[in-house]
Amino acid sequence: MSRLLWIVLLLAVMSVGHAARASENPAAPAKSPAAGDAAERRVKEIAILLDAGSSAEFKKYAAENFSPRFLNVPMERHLDFFLAMHDQTRGVELHSIDSARPNQATALFKSKLTGRWVSLDVRVEADAPHRIAGLGLVPNPPAGAPSTRRSDDEIRQELQTLMQKLADADLFSGAVLLARDGVPIFQGAYGMANKDFNAPNQIDTKFNLGSMNKMFTAVAIAQLVERGKFSFDDPLSKFLPDFPDPASAEKIKIKHLLTHTAGLGGFFSKPWQDSSRALYRTVDDQMKRAAADERLLFEPGTRHRYSNTGMLVAGKVIEVASGQDYYEYVRDNIYTPAGMSNTDCYELDKVNPNLAVGYEKHYGEDGISFRNNLFEHVMRGGPQGGGYSTVEDLLKFDVALRSNKLVGAESVKLLLSAKPELKSPRYGYGFAIDDEEKIAGHGGGFIGINSNLDMFLGSGWTAAVMSNYGRGAMIPQQAMRELVLADLHSSVAPATGR
């Protein structure tokens, strides 16, 4: 999960981020909500504050108008949320408000920087003075907005204009690629790979994948299933009879590890945070840490809970079943056959050419500052995430996977389909799945890391974005998704360029 969405969810103390909430067409008249509606009034107040961008005014407003429970969230986090949103929009224009739900309202407004649509959710207390009990701001195009197919030239120009705006505003640092049938329509690199030395990002700069390594781990598992080493239904006990304990190892199946339904946790515990990163260089090193913390949280196959530990354990299964070190196996069986020469889990205390340093923006009353993530990140990534790649290599991975170069067609279908029967309706085997829009892929996020791969199933479209800013990938990812979906859904033919 990207840090931006994590902040939104933390601050909300409610469920936010539903893409269909702001359903009005911008071309249609705005609704006229009931006069005196408290939630609508609060939305307008927050929108005014966001447009002004004054930290002092926001802090004063929050202290006087947020509920006591909402103020339990440290003011620093509230302020970070507010200033980050102002930074990303540079002010907003209010378009319409949906106040159909009790004690809650959603405003649709336009970013003054990019012209893109953003929605703001506000929930208020039921009783007067109706203080704000939760809020969330999520980039979101309005449902029903006109979609017109663009020519390749128009797509290229639109992305070039957007990316230059984001780069000039220092909201994006990284690389972007949009391709059809394996051929890039647009690609570009922006910002600095290393701010200390003013080293610019290039299209082949290696960026951190975050959780995107999970895709490679799942493909490796599918390869070993095809080779008869085990099945997706085999119990974990076949390979790790005591993890996390003998009884649990009998219940957990390989397919549970790949769908985040095994009942395992997150691996990145407080003991891990307090320990030296230099201790974790192999899968076994990481497994020792996981074994010290893990207990089954629920019966496998009954719930979905995102689990870094589950994918780490899948990596250990690969080692046991193949007889190879995880890193060697993935390098030999995925990166090399796919032609991914700039992808690996590099050891960060060694010399690694053309590796981007991750940066996180910090917002304060004195302005914006940057901190790198050198002391936050793992020394070496693993099956669950933390490796490095390029947008070009991610395209190569998609092409190799969907052309059955890495696994057969049936395995590709298994990997790229959701598993509702396992309580995993939006996740397949190592891939996030959007069944409605027919998109499979994965994102990655951490301090100074934000990357994403979208593979548009049933078409040849691929969208990859990798950023060494903690919030960097979200707007480019959404923009490319909108352009592709407009191409796939619209009956309006492009004017030129095809």
Side-chain angles (χ1 to χ4, degrees):
M1 178 180 291
S2 73
R3 188 169 181 269
L4 172 61
L5 288 179
W6 179 81
I7 291 171
V8 170
L9 294 171
L10 172 67
L11 290 179
V13 195
M14 63 177 184
S15 175
V16 299
H18 299 289
R21 282 183 178 170
S23 58
E24 295 84 10
N25 186 324
K31 285 185 178 181
S32 298
D37 181 272
E40 179 181 339
R41 173 169 53 85
R42 295 298 191 187
V43 163
K44 292 177 179 178
E45 292 167 355
I46 293 292
I48 291 170
L49 289 167
L50 278 170
D51 191 48
S54 166
S55 60
E57 290 180 16
F58 177 80
K59 285 177 67 176
K60 182 176 184 295
Y61 179 87
E64 295 174 354
N65 296 284
F66 284 9
S67 71
R69 183 181 176 190
F70 200 34
L71 284 173
N72 283 337
V73 177
M75 183 58 73
E76 178 185 354
R77 299 240 175 129
H78 284 298
L79 189 61
D80 186 72
F81 171 81
F82 169 75
L83 292 175
M85 294 305 97
H86 177 76
D87 187 36
Q88 289 201 345
T89 61
R90 306 299 163 95
V92 295
E93 296 175 358
L94 181 63
H95 170 264
S96 58
I97 299 176
D98 176 2
S99 56
R101 290 159 295 151
N103 308 323
Q104 194 165 335
T106 302
L108 178 65
F109 48 77
K110 184 182 288 189
S111 161
K112 288 185 176 179
L113 175 67
T114 65
R116 297 182 61 77
W117 297 98
V118 184
S119 61
L120 170 71
D121 273 11
V122 173
R123 181 167 61 86
V124 301
E125 296 174 311
D127 300 325
H130 306 293
R131 291 168 297 192
I132 292 175
L135 64 89
L137 186 60
V138 185
N140 174 46
S147 292
T148 304
R149 265 175 105 182
R150 281 80 156 178
S151 69
D152 291 356
D153 287 342
E154 289 169 332
I155 289 172
R156 191 177 298 111
Q157 184 60 53
E158 189 165 333
L159 286 175
Q160 186 174 323
T161 299
L162 173 65
M163 295 312 304
Q164 198 59 56
K165 283 182 179 179
L166 295 176
D168 290 345
D170 205 13
L171 291 173
F172 181 78
S173 176
V176 176
L177 183 149
L178 180 65
R180 189 199 296 108
D181 299 328
V183 179
I185 288 175
F186 173 83
Q187 57 184 333
Y190 307 84
M192 293 292 165
N194 189 309
K195 291 181 180 291
D196 290 334
F197 298 100
N198 290 322
N201 284 318
Q202 303 171 42
I203 198 66
D204 63 347
T205 295
K206 305 177 187 79
F207 298 94
N208 201 288
L209 287 158
S211 287
M212 296 172 73
N213 283 90
K214 292 177 173 67
M215 297 184 293
F216 309 145
T217 299
V219 172
I221 289 283
Q223 289 176 339
L224 292 169
V225 169
E226 286 187 343
R227 294 168 191 173
K229 298 294 186 179
F230 53 83
S231 79
F232 291 111
D233 288 306
D234 277 349
L236 179 59
S237 58
K238 182 174 180 178
F239 305 97
L240 300 173
D242 298 318
F243 188 90
D245 56 75
S248 298
E250 290 286 347
K251 297 177 182 179
I252 297 171
K253 296 181 179 180
I254 303 301
K255 63 186 180 183
H256 296 142
L257 300 174
L258 301 181
T259 53
H260 302 286
T261 60
L264 298 173
F267 175 70
F268 298 113
S269 60
K270 190 175 188 306
W272 178 86
Q273 292 173 342
D274 294 340
S275 61
S276 169
R277 303 297 189 264
L279 297 174
Y280 310 107
R281 294 180 185 271
T282 68
V283 171
D284 280 342
D285 291 339
Q286 297 173 64
M287 286 293 296
K288 289 176 186 175
R289 176 71 267 154
D293 298 328
E294 282 299 330
R295 300 292 182 271
L296 204 63
L297 301 174
F298 53 84
E299 286 295 306
T302 63
R303 286 175 53 193
H304 180 280
R305 172 171 168 159
Y306 194 83
S307 170
N308 282 304
T309 300
M311 284 292 178
L312 169 62
V313 173
K316 184 58 187 175
V317 169
I318 291 167
E319 291 192 333
V320 175
S322 70
Q324 255 187 300
D325 171 81
Y326 171 84
Y327 302 102
E328 292 177 358
Y329 180 91
V330 174
R331 192 180 303 125
D332 292 345
N333 292 275
I334 296 176
Y335 304 154
T336 298
M340 300 165 67
S341 57
N342 288 315
T343 302
D344 213 327
C345 289
Y346 304 104
E347 295 180 76
L348 297 187
D349 58 346
K350 296 184 178 180
V351 176
N352 300 293
N354 206 12
L355 225 65
V357 174
Y359 296 95
E360 195 71 24
K361 269 188 178 182
H362 289 264
Y363 300 88
E365 296 180 45
D366 297 328
I368 296 172
S369 61
F370 284 92
R371 294 179 188 170
N372 66 50
N373 67 355
L374 295 177
F375 295 97
E376 301 281 355
H377 199 262
V378 295
M379 186 66 72
R380 189 185 194 188
Q384 74 280 14
Y388 284 78
S389 189
T390 68
V391 290
E392 293 175 315
D393 273 9
L394 290 177
L395 173 60
K396 291 175 182 177
F397 171 70
D398 178 18
V399 171
L401 179 65
R402 288 201 277 168
S403 64
N404 307 322
K405 190 172 183 178
L406 301 178
V407 291
E410 285 302 311
S411 293
V412 172
K413 185 177 179 180
L414 275 173
L415 290 164
L416 304 186
S417 60
K419 301 293 182 286
E421 71 278 8
L422 296 176
K423 309 301 181 186
S424 184
R426 297 186 63 82
Y427 204 90
Y429 287 162
F431 291 80
I433 308 297
D434 182 338
D435 271 334
E436 183 177 352
E437 300 294 358
K438 306 301 180 187
I439 302 171
H442 217 290
F446 190 66
I447 297 167
I449 298 165
N450 195 197
S451 299
N452 189 77
L453 172 67
D454 276 345
M455 304 183 296
F456 294 83
L457 307 180
S459 80
W461 285 101
T462 307
V465 55
M466 305 193 77
S467 177
N468 56 332
Y469 279 6
R471 299 178 173 101
M474 292 188 64
I475 294 176
Q477 173 195 347
Q478 187 63 38
M480 289 191 289
R481 184 173 287 195
E482 290 168 17
L483 287 167
V484 172
L485 293 178
D487 181 83
L488 296 176
H489 295 170
S490 176
S491 59
V492 180
T496 60
R498 277 286 168 85

